Amino acid sequence: MSEHLIEMKGIVKKFGGVRALDGIDLKIRPGECVGLCGENGAGKSTLMKILSGVYPHGTWEGEILWDGKPLQAHSVRDTEAAGIVIIHQELMLVPELSVAENIFMGHEITLPGGRMNYPAMYRRAEELMRELNMPDINVALPVMQYGGGHQQLVEIAKALNKKARLLILDEPSSSLTASEIAILLKIIKDLKAKGVACVYISHKLDEVAEVCDTISVIRDGKHIATTPMEELDVERIITQMVGREITAMYPERNHEVGEVVLEARNITCYDVDNPRRKRVDDVSFAVRRGEILGIAGLVGAGRTELVSAVFGAYPGRHEGEVRMNGAKVDTATPLKSIRLGLCMVPEDRKHHGIVPDLSVGQNITLTVLDRFSRRTRVDADAELKVIQDEIGRMRVKTASPFLSITGLSGGNQQKAVLAKMLLAQPKVLILDEPTRGVDVGAKAEIYRLISELARQGLAIIMVSSELAEVLGVSDRVLVIGEGKLRGDFPNQNLTQEMVLAAAINQSPQRASSAATANSVAPAA
């Protein structure tokens, strides 16, 4: 019997004439966690779709051995029957159904006659929650009653209920808080101790280093190296991923800050489902020409709601006033905002950033289609030239501008959304989680682009849940907590501890005085 639970040998996958995977090998032992690392578009998701049966046997070349025997899966059902379960980056839950119903979806326990045996499903769901150290979850409640971290654990419970022997986790922590990530990593360690093998895909390399035994790196569809984690550090992983050393992740802040471009006054947002609750409570701020204003805060603090209201994209009732260059402006809709020179790259690119039915190129030129309109037709040649220029400038990895944008990796979709908004030639650019799901090499590129845009005089507002990112890029940092402005600090010797203290209102007097003193102060 093989010492490896799974062996992938010489895997080749082609899309048209393009080789997305070119002879990849991967081996995993029972109880081993392998970190699969690579830049956006390297082929990680394609390889896992082959392993999990999304791409059936016959649509790719090579061989997969499961417990030493050939595995020829024709569907996800076949791989799940074998014990291979994938947890996708986008959670596959039905919000209105209960925790238990989600766990047993497609594998329900039934009574004679076909009726569902709810008591048995509740008992088993409660067992799984205890196994995951989450005994307080009420499995009879709709899953939408719980936050992202709890929902991620429900996905893991679904996998365990399917008796997973190999668990594939694709960016499992992208929307989790630090405490939720700690719980997730502990659960993975517990699963390893029970003999469950894992493939962990994440651009958060500190997590990879903590939980993985082995690191396998692929670049441009080719296998680069497989190395025990004990022989690596984060810097060496990065070098293998990008093929070069990244000497400075964050560029120097050497741009000039000018006059106030945008003021948001008394912004208040009411909860969509509970209109009596304020998600943002009377927040005012300003941003200057050439300034990078970071917005930090804990998950649920109201950061996204605040910038969405300023841009005209908040779906619920909201109040307040927006001024540009001193004059009150109408930003009631995104279209009105874009025409004023106020643009936004949204947090959720899948639902709010891209149009999935359109090509890469069509998504990029959406905000400036009028430039190519010639009476009743579009000048396709002129549009294509702009598209190709933007693909080159943003280094979007795509086989063709005519490819559906859903065929791109998440990071390359993000670059396309950013290109779309930059084509509108904004005066103020809002970036909500601009590097979520983006690899470390692309992150460095985006940081350099942000810095260059600021040097050109663009006012930038950046929301990020990564404090290191906020402090590494911003000239000034707003701190939001429970919908209120808790601090407004020049980024001079500012630390993560100081930001967190303001976020939880540990020193409200200091945060309040800082907000008053610095609300429109230019960065030094």
Side-chain angles (χ1 to χ4, degrees):
M1 187 174 178
S2 172
E3 64 172 313
H4 294 100
L5 178 65
I6 189 82
E7 294 181 72
M8 304 183 78
K9 298 182 176 182
I11 303 298
V12 174
K13 175 65 178 175
K14 300 175 184 176
F15 294 100
V18 178
R19 285 195 172 211
L21 298 176
D22 190 5
I24 299 289
D25 296 334
L26 183 68
K27 297 180 180 180
I28 309 170
R29 297 179 178 86
E32 180 182 23
C33 184
V34 172
L36 186 61
C37 298
E39 294 187 273
N40 292 117
K44 305 184 299 295
S45 294
T46 301
L47 186 65
M48 290 303 100
K49 285 177 180 178
I50 288 172
L51 180 54
S52 60
V54 174
Y55 294 144
H57 183 263
T59 64
W60 45 269
E61 302 169 27
E63 184 181 27
I64 298 178
L65 299 180
W66 177 254
D67 268 341
K69 299 175 182 176
L71 177 68
Q72 298 182 352
H74 296 282
S75 67
V76 172
R77 187 173 289 273
D78 290 345
T79 55
E80 288 186 349
I84 302 169
V85 180
I86 185 168
I87 298 176
H88 295 279
Q89 185 174 354
E90 289 86 14
L91 300 180
M92 311 293 281
L93 300 174
V94 179
E96 294 79 11
L97 295 184
S98 70
V99 170
E101 287 169 328
N102 271 281
I103 289 173
F104 282 92
M105 192 181 304
H107 301 269
E108 293 83 359
I109 301 174
T110 57
L111 294 165
R115 289 180 299 115
M116 286 195 284
N117 188 342
Y118 277 101
M121 289 196 293
Y122 287 157
R123 283 194 300 272
R124 175 59 179 153
E126 286 168 352
E127 285 175 13
L128 290 167
M129 288 297 110
R130 285 194 295 272
E131 205 173 313
L132 296 176
N133 300 313
M134 302 295 288
D136 298 330
I137 287 184
N138 185 340
V139 299
L141 285 179
V143 76
M144 64 184 178
Q145 298 282 343
Y146 295 99
H150 289 83
Q151 291 185 21
Q152 187 76 62
L153 297 180
V154 172
E155 284 280 18
I156 294 175
K158 278 173 62 178
L160 296 180
N161 191 52
K162 295 170 183 174
K163 297 181 173 54
R165 296 175 63 199
L166 173 63
L167 188 60
I168 304 166
L169 300 110
D170 189 0
E171 294 288 351
S173 66
S174 61
S175 58
L176 303 188
T177 65
S179 59
E180 289 168 341
I181 291 170
I183 293 170
L184 172 67
L185 297 183
K186 183 181 184 304
I187 287 168
I188 293 172
K189 292 173 184 176
D190 291 343
L191 292 174
K192 286 165 54 181
K194 295 174 183 176
V196 177
C198 299
V199 177
Y200 196 88
I201 303 173
S202 177
H203 295 306
K204 298 180 180 179
L205 297 182
D206 54 339
E207 295 172 17
V208 171
E210 180 177 343
V211 80
C212 295
D213 306 293
T214 307
I215 305 298
S216 191
V217 175
I218 59 177
R219 189 193 317 143
D220 297 328
K222 294 182 172 63
H223 177 258
I224 299 302
T226 296
T227 315
M229 185 61 227
E230 62 189 18
E231 298 177 12
L232 293 170
D233 54 28
V234 169
E235 287 71 26
R236 286 191 62 193
I237 297 173
I238 292 171
T239 300
Q240 289 182 353
M241 284 172 55
V242 302
R244 64 190 187 279
E245 288 190 20
I246 296 179
T247 53
M249 179 63 73
Y250 303 110
E252 291 184 18
R253 293 195 298 274
N254 57 0
H255 40 269
E256 293 184 6
V257 176
E259 70 282 357
V260 171
V261 178
L262 179 139
E263 292 178 80
R265 299 182 178 180
N266 311 112
I267 304 296
T268 298
C269 301
Y270 297 88
D271 192 283
V272 175
D273 299 315
N274 180 8
R276 288 174 301 209
R277 179 191 173 202
K278 293 180 180 179
R279 300 301 302 271
V280 178
D281 188 1
D282 194 28
V283 172
S284 299
F285 68 90
V287 61
R288 294 174 176 262
R289 181 180 58 80
E291 182 180 32
I292 303 171
L293 175 66
I295 300 183
L298 302 177
V299 172
R303 299 165 303 169
T304 293
E305 290 82 356
L306 173 63
V307 293
S308 296
V310 171
F311 180 61
Y314 184 66
R317 185 165 70 90
H318 57 283
E319 303 165 353
E321 181 179 298
V322 177
R323 289 179 171 268
M324 290 187 69
N325 298 316
K328 184 178 177 181
V329 293
D330 180 4
T331 62
T333 67
L335 181 59
K336 289 181 177 180
S337 296
I338 290 169
R339 286 175 174 168
L340 289 165
L342 171 61
C343 294
M344 177 172 166
V345 175
E347 175 187 26
D348 187 346
R349 62 175 166 263
K350 181 181 177 183
H351 293 105
H352 303 134
I354 64 169
V355 179
D357 294 334
L358 298 183
S359 69
V360 176
Q362 288 170 324
N363 269 274
I364 287 174
T365 55
L366 269 178
T367 57
V368 292
L369 267 180
D370 57 320
R371 291 188 199 170
F372 313 109
S373 61
R374 305 290 184 266
R375 294 184 179 177
T376 59
R377 66 181 185 86
V378 171
D379 186 338
D381 291 338
E383 183 186 19
L384 181 59
K385 185 181 185 309
V386 169
I387 290 168
Q388 289 172 331
D389 288 346
E390 290 303 306
I391 287 174
R393 181 165 74 105
M394 299 300 295
R395 299 182 186 176
V396 180
K397 289 184 180 177
T398 178
S400 165
F402 305 107
L403 182 73
S404 169
I405 196 164
T406 55
L408 268 58
S409 66
N412 283 297
Q413 289 180 15
Q414 184 77 339
K415 290 179 184 179
V417 175
L418 189 52
K420 173 180 69 176
M421 285 305 177
L422 289 178
L423 273 177
Q425 298 177 331
K427 301 180 183 71
V428 181
L429 180 63
I430 301 171
L431 303 169
D432 193 357
E433 301 288 358
T435 64
R436 175 169 289 173
V438 173
D439 65 73
V440 66
K443 278 186 178 183
E445 290 176 17
I446 289 174
Y447 298 148
R448 283 194 290 274
L449 176 64
I450 291 172
S451 182
E452 177 59 31
L453 292 171
R455 274 195 294 273
Q456 293 171 12
L458 200 64
I460 296 171
I461 301 169
M462 186 185 76
V463 177
S464 177
S465 54
E466 295 187 32
L467 286 182
E469 180 171 87
V470 172
L471 296 177
V473 174
S474 306
D475 300 303
R476 186 162 54 92
V477 179
L478 292 185
V479 182
I480 307 295
E482 297 179 328
K484 298 180 184 294
L485 180 62
R486 292 272 174 78
D488 185 342
F489 306 106
N491 191 4
Q492 297 174 326
N493 302 316
L494 191 60
T495 65
Q496 295 191 31
E497 290 76 16
M498 292 166 66
V499 173
L500 283 171
I504 61 177
N505 214 16
Q506 196 172 61
S507 50
Q509 186 173 358
R510 176 186 174 190
S512 177
S513 62
T516 303
N518 299 310
S519 60
V520 293

